[in-house]
Amino acid sequence: MSFGITSECDLKCPHCYSDSGEKDENELSTDEAKDVIRQAGELGVHLLILDGGEPTLRKDLPELVTHARDCGIRPVLGSNGMSLSLELAGKLKNAGCEAVAISLDGINVKTHDDFRGAEGAWAKAVEGARNCARVGMGFQIAPLVHRGNWTELPAVAAFAKELGAGAVELFDFVAAGRGKQHLEYELDTEQRRGVIADIIKWQRSDDIIYRVIGLPQYWPAVEREVPEDEILARFVRSCCAAGSRYITVLPNGDVIPCMVLQVKLGNIREIDLKTIWHDSPELKALRNRDLLKGKCGRCKYRYVCGGARCKAYEKTGDFLTEDPTCWFSEEEIAEGG
């Protein structure tokens, strides 16, 4: 589960799915946030991603981390690294935080700083990663993949290994939240295919873990190109899990299937998480891949891919229609499975 614990952020990134910046006056209190975490533990959530906004700006973050651990959940963090000082990294480590995902969008300082809108952002993100390493807390590098940086990804991956990251998690640009006003950053089909081809190549030769968010076509490509024993030994499936093994709670208590599939399912102040998870008609629909429409409905890869439901929803308003960014031909979707 992702839990956006604040909408406050010290950056103003053009892709931001949560349109973060100022603190929401309806943000959940410490007691309310703890209750959400308690409900998550009772539901069976095993991994809790505390993000935002920028979660390090919330003063009770170490307290929430400890509470998650006490509820039997593995707490991790998603951060821009700007405020991840050595002191805070140590507090988070001691509180029970297992790992931090740090956004780093380029090997070129200017690429990252220009996109994130703040001079010095690259240096602070790198220092945040090094602070995690200094206190013995795991971290991964999480670049947002867009039209202005995709050619730098091989160098970013190499730098992540140099820093000591345990994984590289790449997020495709999705036109949700603030991203709706910045479609110029969206990759085209050939660029997406190239990114996936690169990641498969890297994972076949590297010990570091690669995860891919927003590009569920990655997994069919893996199944088509990589021997099964090698898949089991090296590859990690990560998308699309919206509504099937993943859910998101926002800073004001709204519950949505995924951070970039922004279909409101209810609010935690009005209905408990367990009821939403089990009874939401939207989640039931997402779990039934036979309800998918168009090319996705005909595709024999629909059970392992399902298309990017977020992109279908943002383009059409219907989260069950075919993924408008999928490049698989009719011949390819017929020979899957």
Side-chain angles (χ1 to χ4, degrees):
M1 184 175 93
S2 286
F3 184 8
I5 57 174
T6 184
S7 61
E8 186 178 4
C9 190
D10 42 8
L11 294 176
K12 196 78 171 178
C13 309
H15 73 288
C16 184
Y17 61 85
S18 59
D19 199 9
S20 295
E22 300 298 323
K23 181 178 178 179
D24 189 336
E25 61 182 16
N26 293 317
E27 181 177 290
L28 298 175
S29 68
T30 297
D31 287 343
E32 287 177 314
K34 284 185 171 181
D35 190 58
V36 170
I37 294 170
R38 176 193 61 79
Q39 291 184 48
E42 292 177 353
L43 183 61
V45 169
H46 65 89
L47 182 72
L48 181 68
I49 307 163
L50 296 167
D51 56 19
E54 176 48 46
T56 60
L57 299 181
R58 184 155 170 156
K59 303 303 181 184
D60 59 1
L61 175 59
E63 185 178 352
L64 297 180
V65 168
T66 297
H67 183 64
R69 184 196 60 194
D70 291 345
C71 290
I73 305 173
R74 297 173 56 208
V76 297
L77 196 70
S79 174
N80 61 31
M82 296 281 290
S83 300
L84 200 52
S85 65
L86 185 61
E87 179 184 6
L88 180 57
K91 287 181 179 180
L92 292 171
K93 169 70 173 177
N94 292 335
C97 184
E98 293 195 7
V100 182
I102 298 175
S103 302
L104 192 70
D105 299 328
I107 193 64
N108 186 309
V109 173
K110 183 174 172 57
T111 300
H112 181 87
D113 287 3
D114 285 355
F115 186 74
R116 297 282 165 172
E119 186 176 350
W122 188 94
K124 289 181 179 179
V126 171
E127 186 65 15
R130 289 181 170 142
N131 287 336
C132 289
R134 289 177 181 124
V135 302
M137 183 164 56
F139 68 94
Q140 66 182 34
I141 295 301
L144 187 282
V145 184
H146 60 82
R147 188 177 287 269
N149 76 340
W150 72 283
T151 58
E152 294 186 32
L153 296 180
V156 172
F159 186 52
K161 290 184 285 186
E162 179 184 323
L163 288 171
V168 176
E169 187 166 79
L170 300 101
F171 288 73
D172 187 30
F173 176 92
V174 177
R178 197 178 297 142
K180 295 177 183 179
Q181 282 74 52
H182 295 282
L183 300 181
E184 68 273 15
Y185 288 107
E186 193 170 14
L187 297 181
D188 63 30
T189 296
E190 289 306 310
Q191 290 168 337
R192 287 188 170 107
R193 291 181 71 169
V195 168
I196 283 180
D198 282 345
I199 298 167
I200 292 173
K201 179 178 65 177
W202 302 338
Q203 190 65 87
R204 297 189 75 174
S205 61
D206 289 350
D207 291 330
I208 197 170
I209 295 169
Y210 291 93
R211 300 187 186 93
V212 186
I213 307 298
L215 283 172
Q217 292 83 7
Y218 170 67
W219 203 251
V222 169
E223 289 197 351
R224 289 167 61 89
E225 299 174 25
V226 182
E228 184 176 358
D229 58 344
E230 191 177 341
I231 294 175
L232 294 172
R234 289 183 173 274
F235 286 79
V236 176
R237 182 180 171 201
S238 52
C239 188
C240 175
S244 60
R245 58 185 189 274
Y246 177 82
I247 198 166
T248 296
V249 180
L250 299 178
N252 67 354
D254 284 347
V255 183
I256 57 178
C258 166
M259 57 189 178
V260 285
L261 177 52
Q262 299 178 345
V263 178
K264 184 176 176 179
L265 309 173
N267 187 285
I268 208 72
R269 287 176 168 135
E270 301 166 357
I271 185 169
D272 63 90
L273 189 61
K274 183 177 181 180
T275 299
I276 292 174
W277 181 258
H278 289 296
D279 296 345
S280 165
E282 292 88 356
L283 294 185
K284 290 179 180 179
L286 283 168
R287 292 166 189 154
N288 186 353
R289 296 289 173 87
D290 292 332
L291 295 179
L292 296 178
K293 303 172 185 177
K295 187 167 70 171
C296 288
R298 298 190 299 274
C299 183
K300 291 186 178 180
Y301 287 116
R302 64 187 179 276
Y303 303 111
V304 297
C305 170
R309 297 298 94 217
C310 52
K311 294 173 183 174
Y313 181 70
E314 291 299 337
K315 296 286 186 181
T316 70
D318 181 357
F319 61 78
L320 292 175
T321 196
E322 69 179 54
D323 179 350
T325 67
C326 180
W327 57 85
F328 291 152
S329 68
E330 290 293 336
E331 292 75 14
E332 286 173 315
I333 68 173
E335 66 187 31

